[in-house]
Amino acid sequence: MDISVLMNLGFTRAEAIVYLYLLELGAVKVGVLIKKTGLQSSTIHNTLNSLVDKGFVTYIFRGKIKIYQAIEPKIVLKNFKEKEQKFEQLIPELEEKKRLAKQKTQA
C-alpha cells in the first residue's frame, strides 16, 4: 500500500508503516512489529508512543506485556475532519491578521 497518503496527513514514514501493519496484523506485541516491519526496536517503540499520543493506536496489558492495536480507519478520518473544522473556525481570525498586516505595509 502507498504510505504517501498517510504521510500527507501528517504521519511520519515510520508511523504510517507501523499503523498499516497493525491494521493488517491486529493486536500484537512489539516483537512482532519489529520482525514484520524491519524497523529498529527503538524506532518501533518511539513510533508506537507517538501513535498512542496521537490517539491512532491503543494498547492493553496481558500480564506485563503490552499488546498494541490500531484504531479503526474511520476514527482516524473523524479525527482529521475535526481538525479541519477547528481550522475552518480560525479562518476569519487569520484573514483579519493578514488584512491588518497588509494595511501596516501600505501605511
Side-chain angles (χ1 to χ4, degrees):
M1 176 178 227
D2 184 14
I3 65 170
S4 64
V5 174
L6 289 174
M7 292 175 66
N8 287 335
L9 290 173
F11 283 69
T12 65
R13 181 179 179 281
E15 287 173 343
I17 290 168
V18 169
Y19 179 75
L20 290 173
Y21 268 103
L22 283 171
L23 285 174
E24 180 182 322
L25 299 170
V28 295
K29 299 186 292 186
V30 173
V32 174
L33 286 171
I34 293 168
K35 288 178 187 173
K36 290 286 187 177
T37 64
L39 297 173
Q40 293 182 352
S41 174
S42 61
T43 301
I44 293 290
H45 284 282
N46 290 335
T47 301
L48 286 170
N49 288 335
S50 175
L51 288 169
V52 167
D53 289 344
K54 291 178 179 181
F56 301 138
V57 170
T58 61
Y59 64 87
I60 59 168
F61 282 99
R62 286 198 188 140
K64 294 182 181 180
I65 299 171
K66 280 186 180 179
I67 306 296
Y68 291 90
Q69 186 170 0
I71 64 165
E72 293 296 321
K74 288 181 181 180
I75 297 173
V76 174
L77 177 61
K78 181 181 175 186
N79 180 286
F80 283 107
K81 285 183 177 181
E82 287 173 0
K83 287 180 181 180
E84 179 183 21
Q85 288 173 347
K86 287 178 183 178
F87 186 77
E88 284 177 352
Q89 292 172 355
L90 285 177
I91 288 176
E93 183 180 339
L94 297 172
E95 288 175 340
E96 179 65 15
K97 286 183 182 286
K98 183 177 179 180
R99 187 184 66 74
L100 291 173
K102 194 173 190 180
Q103 285 179 350
K104 287 181 184 177
T105 305
Q106 292 174 352

